[in-house]
Amino acid sequence: MTVVTVALLVLHFVTRESSNDYDEPSPTQKPATTGGSGNYLLGVGRADCTGPVAEIPLMGYANPDQVGGGLLTRLYSRAFIVAEPNDSRRVVFVSIDIGMVSQRLRLEVLKELKSKYGELYRRDNVILSGTHTHSGPGGYFQYTLFWITSKGLIKPNLDAIVNGIVKSIDIAHQNMKRGRLFLNRGVVENSQINRSPYSYLQNPASERSRYSTNTDKEMVMLKMVDENGHDLGLISWFAVHPVSMNNTNHLVNSDNMGYASLLFEQEKNKGVLPGEGSFVAAFASSNLGDVSPNTKGPFCINTGESCDNPQSTCPVGGVRMDLLTCCQLTGPLLSAHQWVNMSDVQVQLNATHTVKTCKPALGHSFAAGTIDGVGAFNFTQGSVEGDPFWDNIRDQLLGEPSNETKTCHQPKPVLFSTGEMTWPHPWHPDIVDVQIATIGSLAIVAVPGEFTTMSGRRLREAVKRMDVVIAGLCNVYTHYITTYEEYQVQRYEAASTIYGPHTLSAYIQLYRGLARAIAMNTVQDLPSGPEPPLFNVTSLTLVPAVTPDRAPVNKTFGDVLQEVNVQYRVGEVAAVTFVGANPRNSAENVTEHNFLTVERYTNVTGSWQVVQNDASWDTRFYWTKGSSGQSNVTIEWHIPSSTEPGIYRIQYFGHYRRLLKQFYPFEGTSAAFEITNL
């Protein structure tokens, strides 16, 4: 993702702010309410939403063995508020370093915002988008399917994410100032591939011929500048899966999306620690459904052979950047939102042909996984027939899918008929958010899942605005959305298109309706739709309870067990091991707790200065659980080439637990060590 960050920097710094670069408004767009140097009120904010970093299943690969065991980078919520100068309308976009936004998460955030701000921030003008990192803690869902690999609803993590999102919006709200918005686009080569090219080839040749590649390589950047020309922040949308970290990783981190954000923010916020500083950069998700960052694939790691075929089951290059046009955004802010029962949408395909969506269901190829994270057992991609062995087990344990569901989802062989499974709660959502927010000529289409490349292209065309971006994994998670043609070959993405073969057509019809209402100023006439449920589940988890911590005999918490070396060179790894305690103590007892610092001794002041924290990509925090309440913590610092020679030390901060949930802070400090360039 370094190459993508370079592309972002190029896009950012070449943005032309001349008044000669303004685009003309579209025919459906009202003129700007003001001119001059401050067309909008703008606010940006960033807040920690990391949650517990140990013993909690990571959300993304659905691998029950992938449980948090430490921290690589912190997770952040990044909020951006745009308001008209008279403050009559607002739009909020929040990009969060999590796997996806769940319905439970969105409903709780909206509830908190209403209690603080009344009707200022609402379901129609607040977009919550997950970056789709596969290395964040899970357990923030209310639907049963997601409880299986997340081990239930985990309140400490849900609370951490809700609090982080609300705090980031609070910060943005409190720092509103007049400014301008600029939109820039560029083509980024050699940074992603289509991981299901066989599926993509099922789309009509006439349609494919309109595009030079089988992924969307355009990066769209929305830049915020105050009226004095000072940069405030940016949002970048680019289609790529955050699966640079594979399903054997156990360190909580934001993957390539968050890494790009951290690199950009460090470039703009000179002299501050990672995760700090006023400039906020979000690298947000788009139509990434079939797009992988692993550019050497799709190949089998055990044979080296290509798995570009219907049944692939086996388990990065330089960047070229072509700049396109840049413009200043002007015009009104508008938004439209509806709740829709996606299990029963009537779709008018043409004048004579009507179809409908289905109750949610997952196909056999869902269990096969992808080239970025393979599944288990003998499931394969491209399955258009069921397996009697697995179907029989399914029937005995969960019940057989109805004939109606089987017929509706054809040619998908149904593995889990989740729309017909309701114990202890429904396994999948029926009620789904559809939402569009417009800022002048820019339309942000907030989609509730992972659209494939061609699905996203069709949706953008359907909205027919001057500038359209697909914001992925927004508001509620509904897995994947493929085209009708891709659905027929039932690779992983199609098997995970839960509302059946006409899912995309239904979404296109719905988003066209929202766009039409915005264009014709009839948003107020849109029916709100059936409100989603909020299940009365406060905490239901199989995650083991935190037990009291114990230190070894003749040791105390924070004592060094394995000391650092006396000297290191840049490029080496400094490591120290301490008597530790369960990191969940800190997550439950303190918000925004920092587990470590790297400090440099300053001769002038005779004091230690913090140069790195646990949000840095260069540090690693490993927690190893022992027996009888004992545990160790190992901290690594991968010393970057930019490190100044000098004397350094590493500090560890934690909380140990006694009976009756009594928490006590402690710290440990390594010996001083020298870093040289030699």
Side-chain angles (χ1 to χ4, degrees):
M1 286 310 294
T2 302
V3 295
V4 177
T5 308
V6 171
L8 267 171
L9 290 167
V10 172
L11 269 174
H12 176 72
F13 288 114
V14 301
T15 301
R16 300 192 302 273
E17 300 178 10
S18 165
S19 60
N20 295 327
D21 292 322
Y22 300 174
D23 277 355
E24 291 296 320
S26 67
T28 60
Q29 178 183 322
K30 298 178 182 178
T33 52
T34 66
S37 60
N39 292 334
Y40 298 105
L41 295 172
L42 306 174
V44 301
R46 180 199 317 102
D48 188 353
C49 63
T50 304
V53 302
E55 298 188 307
I56 307 299
L58 302 186
M59 184 66 201
Y61 290 110
N63 179 357
D65 296 326
Q66 192 181 17
V67 176
L71 183 67
L72 173 56
T73 62
R74 290 208 157 262
L75 309 181
Y76 291 100
S77 172
R78 295 175 170 90
F80 304 82
I81 302 177
V82 181
E84 292 182 349
N86 60 6
D87 210 13
S88 59
R89 296 192 185 103
R90 293 190 173 207
V91 168
V92 182
F93 183 85
V94 187
S95 178
I96 313 121
D97 289 333
I98 56 177
M100 60 285 290
V101 175
S102 75
Q103 190 172 82
R104 179 64 177 252
L105 178 61
R106 175 169 167 82
L107 292 175
E108 295 213 5
V109 167
L110 291 176
K111 180 181 177 182
E112 289 293 317
L113 292 176
K114 185 172 184 177
S115 69
K116 282 191 170 190
Y117 300 104
E119 295 301 315
L120 187 61
Y121 300 124
R122 312 172 303 273
R123 60 182 174 85
D124 66 298
N125 68 356
V126 174
I127 298 173
L128 304 182
S129 174
T131 62
H132 202 37
T133 175
H134 287 43
S135 297
Y140 53 93
F141 292 81
Q142 67 173 2
Y143 291 98
T144 303
L145 179 79
F146 306 110
W147 291 0
I148 295 173
T149 54
S150 294
K151 298 183 180 178
L153 179 68
I154 303 170
K155 196 67 162 53
N157 193 44
L158 175 63
D159 290 346
I161 302 171
V162 170
N163 294 339
I165 293 171
V166 173
K167 183 174 181 179
S168 68
I169 294 174
D170 288 341
I171 295 170
H173 177 87
Q174 294 160 8
N175 290 286
M176 300 286 287
K177 58 184 68 175
R178 285 187 173 271
R180 294 176 292 167
L181 294 174
F182 293 89
L183 191 68
N184 206 358
R185 296 174 178 271
V187 176
V188 184
E189 300 284 0
N190 306 323
S191 60
Q192 22 99 297
I193 61 167
N194 192 306
R195 70 183 187 188
S196 284
Y198 181 83
S199 294
Y200 181 87
L201 288 173
Q202 307 311 304
N203 294 302
S206 58
E207 182 179 36
R208 288 185 280 112
S209 67
R210 294 161 47 202
Y211 304 98
S212 60
T213 62
N214 61 4
T215 61
D216 283 337
K217 298 185 179 297
E218 184 177 70
M219 177 182 290
V220 180
M221 187 192 75
L222 180 64
K223 176 183 174 181
M224 298 182 171
V225 180
D226 71 16
E227 60 184 345
N228 297 316
H230 299 135
D231 295 334
L232 299 175
L234 65 84
I235 310 169
S236 168
W237 290 275
F238 186 65
V240 67
H241 246 85
V243 288
S244 297
M245 308 296 291
N246 64 28
N247 61 8
T248 65
N249 166 64
H250 292 275
L251 296 183
V252 168
N253 70 87
S254 53
D255 209 289
N256 51 36
M257 297 278 200
Y259 182 49
S261 292
L262 286 172
L263 286 179
F264 203 107
E265 289 174 346
Q266 286 182 265
E267 178 66 30
K268 296 295 293 180
N269 297 315
K270 296 288 189 182
V272 300
L273 294 171
E276 299 178 5
S278 61
F279 186 91
V280 179
F283 188 51
S285 58
S286 190
N287 55 314
L288 49 71
D290 52 359
V291 186
S292 171
N294 300 311
T295 57
K296 293 183 179 180
F299 292 94
C300 303
I301 59 173
N302 53 341
T303 65
E305 297 177 357
S306 172
C307 59
D308 180 8
N309 57 70
Q311 286 79 37
S312 60
T313 59
C314 55
V316 188
V319 64
R320 186 173 81 248
M321 185 73 187
D322 297 319
L323 293 176
L324 301 179
T325 58
C326 168
C327 66
Q328 180 175 346
L329 287 179
T330 60
L333 306 178
L334 298 166
S335 58
H337 172 279
Q338 284 183 299
W339 285 307
V340 179
N341 184 352
M342 274 301 294
S343 65
D344 189 23
V345 177
Q346 300 290 325
V347 184
Q348 191 74 41
L349 292 182
N350 51 48
T352 61
H353 194 185
T354 300
V355 295
K356 69 180 292 294
T357 55
C358 312
K359 292 181 180 179
L362 292 162
H364 275 248
S365 294
F366 160 76
T370 72
I371 63 167
D372 293 321
V374 297
F377 306 110
N378 62 337
F379 291 98
T380 62
Q381 293 202 59
S383 297
V384 293
E385 294 182 359
D387 183 304
F389 175 77
W390 292 113
D391 287 347
N392 183 60
I393 292 176
R394 184 264 330 277
D395 294 348
Q396 296 298 317
L397 295 177
L398 302 172
E400 183 180 0
S402 68
N403 290 332
E404 177 188 1
T405 292
K406 290 179 181 178
T407 301
C408 188
H409 279 271
Q410 286 182 350
K412 176 196 292 178
V414 174
L415 179 62
F416 298 124
S417 182
T418 53
E420 298 174 318
M421 298 159 66
T422 59
W423 187 88
H425 293 286
W427 281 47
H428 263 146
D430 290 320
I431 311 304
V432 172
D433 299 67
V434 291
Q435 183 181 20
I436 296 178
T438 63
I439 305 171
S441 63
L442 173 66
I444 303 173
V445 180
V447 299
E450 305 177 53
F451 276 57
T452 61
T453 298
M454 195 62 84
S455 293
R457 288 169 175 171
R458 291 184 189 178
L459 182 58
R460 280 195 295 267
E461 287 186 354
V463 173
K464 291 184 178 178
R465 295 277 301 190
M466 184 182 300
D467 294 297
V468 179
V469 294
I470 304 291
L473 298 125
C474 292
N475 302 332
V476 57
Y477 185 58
T478 63
H479 296 263
Y480 285 75
I481 299 91
T482 65
T483 68
Y484 177 83
E485 294 84 357
E486 292 165 348
Y487 189 90
Q488 303 308 303
V489 294
Q490 282 297 299
R491 283 176 62 84
Y492 172 81
E493 294 82 7
S496 305
T497 298
I498 63 174
Y499 300 112
H502 303 292
T503 300
L504 176 60
S505 296
Y507 278 126
I508 287 175
Q509 178 175 286
L510 292 165
Y511 282 103
R512 273 180 177 159
L514 297 184
R516 188 180 305 113
I518 289 174
M520 303 190 66
N521 198 26
T522 58
V523 172
Q524 68 278 1
D525 299 329
L526 287 172
S528 61
E531 190 168 345
L534 183 62
F535 302 135
N536 185 25
V537 182
T538 55
S539 184
L540 180 63
T541 178
L542 296 177
V543 173
V546 179
T547 58
D549 297 284
R550 291 179 61 247
V553 177
N554 298 324
K555 296 286 185 181
T556 189
F557 296 102
D559 282 356
V560 174
L561 296 175
Q562 184 171 343
E563 192 57 272
V564 293
N565 295 341
V566 174
Q567 188 179 80
Y568 294 95
R569 292 178 294 181
V570 294
E572 295 182 333
V573 179
V576 56
T577 299
F578 298 94
V579 175
N582 195 322
R584 288 169 60 190
N585 298 333
S586 300
E588 295 181 13
N589 188 53
V590 179
T591 59
E592 300 184 40
H593 173 77
N594 191 52
F595 287 109
L596 68 91
T597 56
V598 177
E599 301 173 3
R600 184 175 186 270
Y601 186 74
T602 305
N603 289 318
V604 176
T605 61
S607 61
W608 294 92
Q609 178 186 4
V610 177
V611 295
Q612 296 285 3
N613 57 16
D614 64 8
S616 169
W617 193 266
D618 299 322
T619 59
R620 312 283 191 273
F621 176 86
Y622 296 94
W623 179 69
T624 304
K625 185 177 183 178
S627 60
S628 303
Q630 296 184 16
S631 62
N632 294 344
V633 162
T634 297
I635 295 174
E636 293 180 353
W637 179 32
H638 294 240
I639 305 167
S641 58
S642 59
T643 304
E644 295 182 18
I647 304 300
Y648 291 80
R649 71 180 186 184
I650 295 172
Q651 285 205 289
Y652 160 45
F653 305 94
H655 292 80
Y656 66 88
R657 174 180 176 143
R658 293 302 192 202
L659 294 173
L660 303 177
K661 290 190 176 182
Q662 295 174 316
F663 300 96
Y664 300 91
F666 68 90
E667 60 186 62
T669 306
S670 76
F673 56 92
E674 183 182 16
I675 293 181
T676 70
N677 286 327
L678 301 178

